[in-house]
Amino acid sequence: MNLKLAIQKSGRLHEDSIKLLNDCGIAVKSGNNQLRAVAENFPLEVYFLRDDDIPQYVEDGVAHIGIVGENVLFEKDKEAEIVEMLGFGKCRLSIAVKKTDAYSSPSFLEGKKIATSYPVLTQRFLDDNHIKAEIHEISGSVELAPGIGLADAVCDLVSSGSTLFMNGLQEVQSILKSQAVLVRNKSLNDEQQKILDQLVFRIRAVRKAKNNKYVLLNAPNSSLQQIIDLLPGMKSPTVLPLANGEWSSVHSVLPEDEFWEKIEALRKAGAQGILVVPIEKMII
Ligand code: PRT
Ligand code: ZN
């Protein structure tokens, strides 16, 4: 029995989805315009679909699980449960208006025309703010709409902001923060659940490893305690004596977000020969 996973066929989430599987030790060959692939060494069958279709496939149980952006998941409003945040495909769904417009609150949008590919989420934002505006649904190149007189504002995905900027628009209000998520059908049987648990276990180990670095350094014994206090480690740092009796080698794991700050403090405390190594998997 195979667990069926739906991922994007091509586009912004495709490569990261395949890479995540590969990092989990699951070999999936994509390409040749194929519709499905069977993993070689894990009970998984992968379906390649348009991202917009993934929530429906998962709701129907045609795919047991899927990888999709939260923006699409919430827009489609299907019965698919989030199992895990995946940390890639990050973007936000935002309202943007012409650079020359002065927007100070959602009331700016009252009676205006908004172009978007996300009519459901846009309408929800308007309703929450008691605004009546006309939504003009278009499927692509939403950012062009104000320039050609099709709309007064847009509600579109933004990551760097350069698309809006190049089209004379300014982002004025973010209505949803989004990233890729793993979703599941609501009623998996025991066997399917067991495979999903194994997959999630691997995904967590891979993601945890990505967020941490392995650090090796040499510490003078005179400041060893001070250096150990700076390092959290998974339990506590490993300390090994060096051939030169006045120094020790210290090994530990550092979270990525504390990294530079900690390295500075370690150097100040007398640490030398600091080596920083990526971690492949991390199981706690
Ligand atoms: O063919 P299919 O329907 O599967 O793909 P698609 O064309 O609908 O989607 P695709 O591949 O463009 O995006 C897939 C998913 O990637 C989205 O649903 C989001 O979850 C996520 N994502 C992350 C983004 C972006 N970042 C993003 N920047 N999706 C689209 N964009 C577009 C945006 O629409 C705008 O046109 O990029 C442009 C803005 O980018 P910046 O960097 O200029 O701000
Ligand atoms: Zn799409």
Side-chain angles (χ1 to χ4, degrees):
M1 139 78 223
N2 282 333
L3 194 70
K4 293 175 183 168
L5 163 71
I7 67 169
Q8 195 187 23
K9 183 175 169 58
S10 63
R12 288 167 191 263
L13 302 183
H14 174 81
E15 271 177 29
D16 284 334
S17 303
I18 294 284
K19 179 160 190 313
L20 178 66
L21 294 174
N22 291 343
D23 288 348
C24 289
I26 301 169
V28 178
K29 288 200 189 84
S30 74
N32 301 336
N33 221 12
Q34 59 188 350
L35 206 75
R36 70 183 259 280
V38 178
E40 282 164 20
N41 47 2
F42 192 81
L44 193 73
E45 200 170 319
V46 182
Y47 285 77
F48 302 103
L49 301 170
R50 285 203 57 196
D51 65 348
D52 314 71
D53 296 333
I54 291 174
Q56 181 75 60
Y57 272 72
V58 172
E59 176 178 296
D60 295 344
V62 177
H64 302 122
I65 56 174
I67 294 178
V68 69
E70 289 174 287
N71 52 311
V72 171
L73 181 68
F74 298 145
E75 175 69 22
K76 301 293 174 191
D77 208 10
K78 302 287 176 199
E79 296 262 307
E81 269 173 18
I82 296 181
V83 185
E84 195 73 15
M85 313 298 268
L86 299 177
F88 61 83
K90 285 191 176 165
C91 58
R92 50 201 188 271
L93 184 63
S94 291
I95 303 280
V97 299
K98 285 183 192 155
K99 233 177 259 176
T100 46
D101 284 336
Y103 178 105
S104 55
S105 76
S107 63
F108 172 90
L109 300 168
E110 186 70 41
K112 299 232 164 50
K113 221 180 197 186
I114 307 169
T116 186
S117 307
Y118 293 86
V120 172
L121 295 174
T122 306
Q123 189 61 57
R124 197 170 297 159
F125 168 76
L126 294 173
D127 291 346
D128 289 348
N129 288 282
H130 312 290
I131 304 290
K132 287 205 168 30
E134 189 185 331
I135 292 177
H136 190 92
E137 184 178 349
I138 44 180
S139 59
S141 304
V142 171
E143 66 279 359
L144 300 179
I148 57 174
L150 198 64
D152 307 296
V154 300
C155 183
D156 199 11
L157 295 179
V158 184
S159 43
S160 69
S162 65
T163 303
L164 293 181
F165 182 80
M166 284 188 302
N167 286 281
L169 301 174
Q170 54 171 333
E171 182 181 3
V172 288
Q173 182 120 31
S174 168
I175 72 169
L176 175 77
K177 270 176 79 179
S178 176
Q179 61 177 286
V181 289
L182 180 70
V183 294
R184 53 166 285 170
N185 173 272
K186 287 229 162 124
S187 40
L188 298 183
N189 66 31
D190 289 352
E191 201 180 348
Q192 291 157 350
Q193 184 64 52
K194 215 168 127 194
I195 303 171
L196 175 58
D197 289 345
Q198 284 171 13
L199 178 64
V200 170
F201 176 80
R202 293 191 191 190
I203 289 175
R204 287 189 183 151
V206 166
R207 295 213 49 222
K208 188 111 196 134
K210 271 211 186 91
N211 294 332
N212 287 277
K213 299 274 181 245
Y214 194 73
V215 179
L216 304 92
L217 57 84
N218 293 333
N221 290 341
S222 52
S223 53
L224 191 56
Q225 193 54 50
Q226 194 189 347
I227 286 174
I228 289 172
D229 290 344
L230 285 167
L231 293 166
M234 277 166 86
K235 289 267 188 296
S236 63
T238 307
V239 180
L240 302 164
L242 289 185
N244 173 340
E246 287 165 18
W247 287 75
S248 298
S249 169
V250 180
H251 302 192
S252 187
V253 171
L254 265 188
E256 176 94 68
D257 53 355
E258 297 173 16
F259 180 73
W260 286 111
E261 206 184 316
K262 280 280 160 75
I263 294 292
E264 268 313 302
L266 288 166
R267 286 186 45 199
K268 278 206 187 105
Q272 291 183 7
I274 304 175
L275 282 184
V276 180
V277 188
I279 302 171
E280 194 175 312
K281 311 275 186 307
M282 194 163 148
I283 292 138
I284 303 183

